[in-house]
Structure formats: C-alpha cells, structure tokens
C-alpha cells in the first residue's frame, strides 16, 4: 500500500514534470499524439535520455527468411521517463502472487455496470485475498468493448482500487495501433500501475521484429509505467517464442517488465525463467490449472480467471509451495484441477466464469456480450454442486 502510494506520488510528479517541461519540450517527429504524454524531456526529440539505449533501424538484426520486400520498421525514439518516474517505478512494490483477471460486469441490457466495481474490489481483497487485478483482458471481454467502455472501466478500477489494491494492470491491446496507443496513454494518465497488450491477431505480426515494433509504439505512450506482453497464442494465433522475444527487448522497450504467459509451453516458460529472471523480468503464469508446474520452475506470480473465486485456495497453494510442503501444494493443484476438468467437459469460457463469480460473490456480473452466450442454468447448478463437493477449496484454516 505504501509503495502503491509512492507509485502514485511518482505519477503525480510525472504529470508535474510534463507541465514544467511543456514549453521547452518538442513533440516527437510525426507524433501528433505526443501532447498527452507525461515525462517528456526537454530537448530535441532525437536526444536519448542518459542511460537509455535507443535502437536505430540500422541496428536491428537482419530478419530471418523474410521476403525481399521486407524492411525493418522505422523506430522513433522511446520517450524517456523523467527521473522521478524512474524512481517511482523502481520503488513500486514488486508484483507477485495472484492477479485476478477480472470479469466485466454488464447490466441485463448489455451495458457496462460500473456501480458494482467497488464491491468487486472488496470481495477480491477481503474474501479471496487477491490484491492485484488485470482489467479488460480476455476474461474482462476487453476486445468486445468499445474504447470508451474500456476507459471508463479502467478509471473505475483505478479509483475504487485506491488504498485497497496493490496493482491495477490495464490491458490495452487492440487490433488497431492508434486505438491501443490511446488506451495506453489513458491508462498512464489515470494512474494505472502497469499496462499489457496482446499481439494484434487479425493482421498478425509475422516475426519478432514486427511484434516488438508494434508493442514498442504502444508502450511508448505510457513511458513511466511497466509494460507486460500478454502471450496467449491459443486465442491470438501469434506463436512467437517468448525466449526469443525477450532477447534484447529492454533495449527496444525500456519499460518492458515481463510477460503474462497464457500458454502450456512449459519448456519455453522454463527457458525464459532460466535465462531472464536475472533481468528481473516477471513471468506471470496464465494457465491456472498448471500453476504448480510453473511455480516448480520458479514463477512468482500468476494472472488468471479462477483467482476471482479460487483465490484463497491458490494463495494456500503458493504458501504450501513456499513452505516446501509439496504434498499439500499438490493436493490444492489436484483439487483445483478436478474442478476445472469437470467444468471444461461441460463447456467453459468467459460466460461460465461470469456465472460462477456471480454465484460465489453474490455480485451480479451479468451476461457476457455477444457473440458469447450466457451460461446455462444447468451449468451453473452443476458447477456449484461440484464446488460444494470440494470443501477443501472453499473452506480455509482460520488465520
Ligand atoms: C484462455 C483464458 O481465458 N485463459 C485464462 C488466462 O489467461 C486462464 O485464467 C483460464 O481461464 C484458466 O486457466 C481456466 O482455463
Ligand atoms: C486470464 C487472463 O489473464 C485474462 O483474462 O486476460
């Protein structure tokens, strides 16, 4: 909490610095959107801040096996965070443990329902022991929301989370680069603790360089908060190997902080842990049913939909693992697996997650947005009965 406050302080100084610098600051060449940035440094746009290594097109690696028409994307300078932002970033409490991928409450007529977010925050913190959220992601139906809705949700989460949540990460990925940049800028301006983006998945990046060039443009709109790449190949179809992606990425994206890793490729994940943990990259695991395997190779954090309602059980699994009580940790993972494997067979996705969260929290999360269809009554009944048959997951030892 204290650190969060420090982050906010830094954020404020960032905005202050922007005001202070504005007369002298030059807008980045071609960067019409530049006016919204915090942390612009005075001086010519091409002046890198001391200590920041900026990559010019000439120093990009030669692409592998890519047609003759390929040219490395032109990279503009990455805006340099001011010193107070850098120190705020360094003092922000390290993101670790569980991050709930929040659902987006909708009214029965399909509008976003901001009125329950405050209650939702309290439920996560008090009932689930979860103090970090990932907003507008897959579970939050981010890609089914308008930009305006995404911004309203982001603001509500940041405001309601003040003094209660430690990290509010806003997913800003979109199919269009300007939209993603605008969401990134907005998240930074409202005081989010970090941003994340998936790879665009209609026109897909064909290789690492194209993906990094896209992510860099997005991250550069929020130059004083951490950026996480959201790797979810089962949904995006973008299967760029993360071990390769991380190689040299800090040079291109100075705010790069880690990956939300929603794939079952534990070899790639483990290679990343082994090679890049030293660089302080955070590798947040995103396949909840396999979390214990990720802990075994060194993961210290996880983002997922089930932490909305199995937060306590997963916290206890983390704790058992940390205490080297592997039998207990396995018992939690097996039990979580029993529930998930049961609901997978019934058909499980965001709509079903919303129904389960509604039923367990008592907060009306509403239907999903089309083309997703509401979970059936039968699903809700069976899922609830299954959870009731696994009291180990939902009753906790007194603290
Ligand atoms: C595809 C998807 O939504 N994955 C989520 C996070 O990335 C997970 O939290 C899953 O919902 C969870 O592991 C259950 O499969
Ligand atoms: C699960 C997750 O992280 C998401 O819903 O985006």
């Amino acid at each position: 909490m204290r650190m969060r406050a420090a982050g906010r302080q830094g954020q404020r100084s960032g905005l202050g610095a922007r005001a202070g610098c504005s007369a002298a600051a030059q807008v980045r060449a071609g960067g019409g959107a530049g006016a919204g940035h915090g942390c612009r440094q005075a001086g010519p746009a091409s002046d890198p801040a001391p200590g920041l290594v900026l990559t010019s097109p000439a120093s990009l690696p030669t692409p592998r096996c890519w047609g003759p028409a390929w040219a490395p994307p032109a990279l503009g300078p990455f805006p340099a965070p001011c010193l107070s932002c850098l120190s705020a970033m360094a003092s922000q409490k390290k993101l670790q443990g569980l991050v709930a991928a929040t659902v987006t409450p909708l009214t029965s007529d399909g509008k976003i329902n901001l009125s329950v977010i405050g209650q939702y925050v309290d439920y996560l913190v008090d009932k689930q022991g979860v103090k970090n959220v990932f907003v507008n992601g897959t579970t939050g139906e981010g890609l089914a929301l308008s930009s305006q809705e995404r911004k309203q949700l982001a603001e509500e989460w940041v405001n309601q989370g003040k003094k209660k949540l430690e990290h509010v990460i806003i997913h800003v990925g979109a199919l269009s680069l300007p939209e993603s940049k605008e969401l990134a800028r907005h998240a930074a301006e409202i005081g989010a603790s970090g941003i994340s983006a998936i790879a665009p998945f209609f026109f897909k990046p064909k290789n690492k360089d194209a993906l990094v060039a896209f992510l860099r443009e997005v991250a550069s709109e929020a130059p004083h908060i951490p950026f996480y790449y959201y790797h979810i190949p089962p949904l995006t179809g973008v299967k760029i190997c993360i071990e390769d992606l991380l190689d040299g990425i800090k040079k291109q994206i100075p705010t790069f902080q880690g990956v939300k890793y929603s794939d079952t490729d534990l070899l790639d994940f483990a290679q990343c842990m082994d090679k890049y943990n030293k660089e302080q990259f955070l590798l947040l695991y995103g396949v909840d049913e396999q979390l214990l395997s990720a802990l075994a190779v060194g993961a210290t954090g996880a983002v997922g939909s089930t932490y909305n309602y199995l937060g306590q059980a997963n916290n206890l699994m983390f704790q058992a693992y940390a205490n080297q009580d592997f039998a207990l940790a396995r018992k939690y993972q097996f039990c979580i697996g029993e529930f998930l494997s049961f609901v997978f067979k019934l058909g499980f996705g965001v709509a079903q997650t919303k129904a389960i969260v509604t039923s367990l929290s008592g907060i009306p999360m509403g239907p999903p947005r089309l083309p997703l269809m509401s979970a059936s009554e039968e699903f809700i009944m069976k899922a609830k009965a299954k959870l009731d048959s696994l009291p180990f997951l939902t009753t906790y030892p007194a603290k």
Side-chain angles (χ1 to χ4, degrees):
M1 227 73 86
R2 194 174 52 79
M3 298 302 197
R4 168 91 187 169
R8 291 188 178 287
Q9 180 59 43
Q11 164 89 15
R12 273 195 294 275
S13 342
L15 293 171
R18 170 178 46 173
C21 291
S22 60
Q26 291 187 12
V27 176
R28 184 164 35 136
H37 287 288
C39 298
R40 286 246 179 261
Q41 302 247 324
S46 56
D47 273 3
L52 277 185
V53 185
L54 300 174
T55 309
S56 67
S59 64
L60 278 175
T62 315
R64 270 173 278 157
C65 306
W66 192 241
W70 194 92
L75 298 178
F78 197 98
C82 58
L83 285 179
S84 60
C85 289
L86 281 176
S87 81
M89 250 197 273
S91 67
Q92 196 182 42
K93 184 172 179 188
K94 193 171 179 255
L95 176 54
Q96 55 186 354
L98 300 179
V99 182
T102 55
V103 299
T104 289
L106 295 185
T107 57
S108 54
D109 59 349
K111 304 217 166 57
I112 55 167
N113 181 6
L114 300 176
S115 72
V116 298
I117 305 284
Q119 247 179 295
Y120 193 172
V121 169
D122 291 338
Y123 159 78
L124 286 174
V125 174
D126 301 338
K127 298 281 187 334
Q128 296 299 330
V130 172
K131 289 190 166 182
N132 307 299
V133 292
F134 187 91
V135 175
N136 294 338
T138 307
T139 308
E141 301 174 84
L143 274 290
L145 301 169
S146 69
S147 277
Q148 196 201 4
E149 289 173 323
R150 292 174 71 167
K151 287 182 188 175
Q152 288 175 303
L153 282 155
E155 278 170 40
E156 194 64 17
W157 276 101
V158 167
N159 289 336
Q160 296 293 341
K162 268 178 200 153
K163 301 207 170 83
K164 293 181 178 173
L165 296 172
E166 286 174 354
H167 290 261
V168 178
I169 299 172
I170 307 294
H171 175 248
V172 301
L175 296 187
S176 121
L177 181 58
E179 186 181 343
S180 197
K181 286 167 74 161
E182 188 184 321
L183 291 169
R185 196 160 58 242
H186 174 262
E189 279 169 3
I190 63 171
S193 352
I195 55 167
S196 178
I198 48 165
F201 54 85
F202 187 75
F203 294 121
K204 297 180 180 43
K206 293 254 164 56
N207 55 28
K208 168 186 160 170
D209 295 333
L211 176 60
V212 170
F214 181 94
L215 299 177
R216 185 180 198 276
E217 288 276 315
V218 176
S220 70
E221 295 294 325
H224 52 287
I225 55 174
F227 177 85
Y228 300 86
Y229 173 54
Y230 183 176
H231 179 56
I232 184 157
L235 289 183
T236 59
V238 175
K239 299 193 172 80
I240 287 165
C241 167
I242 300 299
E243 184 190 353
D244 294 344
L245 181 81
L246 296 186
D247 186 15
I249 198 157
K250 260 299 213 205
K251 290 199 189 95
Q252 315 239 24
I253 306 177
T255 52
F256 192 89
Q257 177 111 350
V259 179
K260 170 181 161 2
Y261 197 104
S262 290
D263 191 27
T264 52
D265 186 347
L266 284 164
L267 170 59
D268 182 37
F269 186 78
Q271 288 297 295
C272 294
M273 290 299 310
D274 186 28
K275 271 182 145 167
Y276 297 108
N277 208 20
K278 284 190 291 296
E279 293 190 34
Q280 298 280 305
F281 285 153
L282 272 173
L283 300 164
L284 302 163
Y285 199 60
V287 183
D288 312 2
E289 52 277 32
Q290 300 192 164
L291 175 56
L292 185 56
S293 318
L295 296 185
V297 295
T300 53
V303 189
S305 67
T306 66
Y307 310 136
N308 282 293
Y309 54 95
L310 295 176
Q312 294 288 16
N314 278 282
N315 277 327
L316 290 167
M317 184 172 86
F318 254 89
Q319 209 176 78
Y321 185 80
N323 295 338
Q324 301 192 20
D325 186 346
F326 302 126
L328 183 61
R330 277 197 295 271
K331 194 170 165 191
Y332 278 110
Q333 185 71 101
F334 292 159
C335 215
I336 291 162
E338 184 175 338
F339 173 71
L340 286 174
S341 130
F342 176 81
V343 290
F344 289 167
K345 286 177 199 140
L346 298 175
F348 182 77
V350 171
Q352 288 69 26
T353 296
K354 286 183 105 160
I356 296 172
V357 181
T358 299
S359 147
L360 294 188
S361 67
I363 305 169
M365 299 304 181
R369 182 163 282 176
L370 285 168
L372 299 183
M373 301 290 283
S374 292
S376 66
E377 285 305 319
E378 190 194 353
F379 172 89
I380 300 170
M381 201 189 66
K382 287 187 172 163
K384 184 82 176 43
K386 185 69 184 175
L387 267 184
D388 289 345
S389 77
L390 298 167
F392 182 65
L393 285 187
T394 48
T395 41
Y396 322 110
K399 281 200 186 145

